[in-house]
Amino acid sequence: MGLFDPILKNVVIYGHRTSMNMERIYWESLEEICAREDISRNELLTMIYKRNSKSANPEATLTSAVRVFILYYQRAAATESGHLLARHGHGAPMLGTPLELDEDRKAALKVQLQEAPASPE
């Protein structure tokens, strides 16, 4: 199965079974959030569904609302130290993602070397 192939899963919203189609990274992120918050996937999806239906954009699909929720949740958790650990901030935003290439690592290393203070002689 490819990186961008959607995965169809059955979920329960307000006690009603339905299905959602999302890429693997979204399902993994959703499970990580559930583990951190100590709630079930169906509980979290019901919360998202409930809040989305009352939001300024109630016509958004549940899948779309879940993707936006995941992005905002992770953005809220992003810290400067987290960005440093992920090697972000050197003009190579693909570092640490499945789309990372050797050229990204080389470009980041080149910038880091240019930014490093010169050693005293």
Side-chain angles (χ1 to χ4, degrees):
M1 183 170 302
L3 180 64
F4 300 105
D5 294 336
I7 299 170
L8 183 67
K9 290 193 179 194
N10 291 319
V11 298
V12 178
I13 309 293
Y14 279 121
H16 299 284
R17 186 175 157 169
T18 188
S19 59
M20 290 179 57
N21 216 1
M22 295 191 300
E23 294 78 9
R24 176 180 288 105
I25 191 68
Y26 288 108
W27 288 115
E28 290 172 357
S29 295
L30 195 63
E31 294 303 325
E32 290 167 2
I33 293 168
C34 289
R36 176 168 293 281
E37 300 296 337
D38 195 27
I39 60 175
S40 74
R41 179 179 68 193
N42 293 335
E43 287 175 305
L44 180 57
L45 292 174
T46 298
M47 292 169 70
I48 294 169
Y49 178 85
K50 179 180 175 182
R51 285 160 177 76
N52 184 59
S53 64
K54 293 180 180 179
S55 74
N57 193 21
E59 66 274 359
T61 66
L62 176 60
T63 303
S64 175
V66 169
R67 286 185 179 116
V68 170
F69 165 79
I70 290 169
L71 180 61
Y72 271 87
Y73 185 93
Q74 292 176 338
R75 280 180 71 187
T79 63
E80 190 58 35
S81 60
H83 285 299
L84 291 173
L85 287 172
R87 301 169 293 155
H88 293 163
H90 296 286
M94 297 298 171
L95 288 176
T97 75
L99 303 176
E100 178 179 312
L101 299 174
D102 285 338
E103 63 194 58
D104 299 316
R105 289 186 291 279
K106 290 176 185 173
L109 182 59
K110 182 178 178 182
V111 170
Q112 287 174 332
L113 291 173
Q114 290 172 346
E115 292 176 352
S119 59
E121 294 191 36

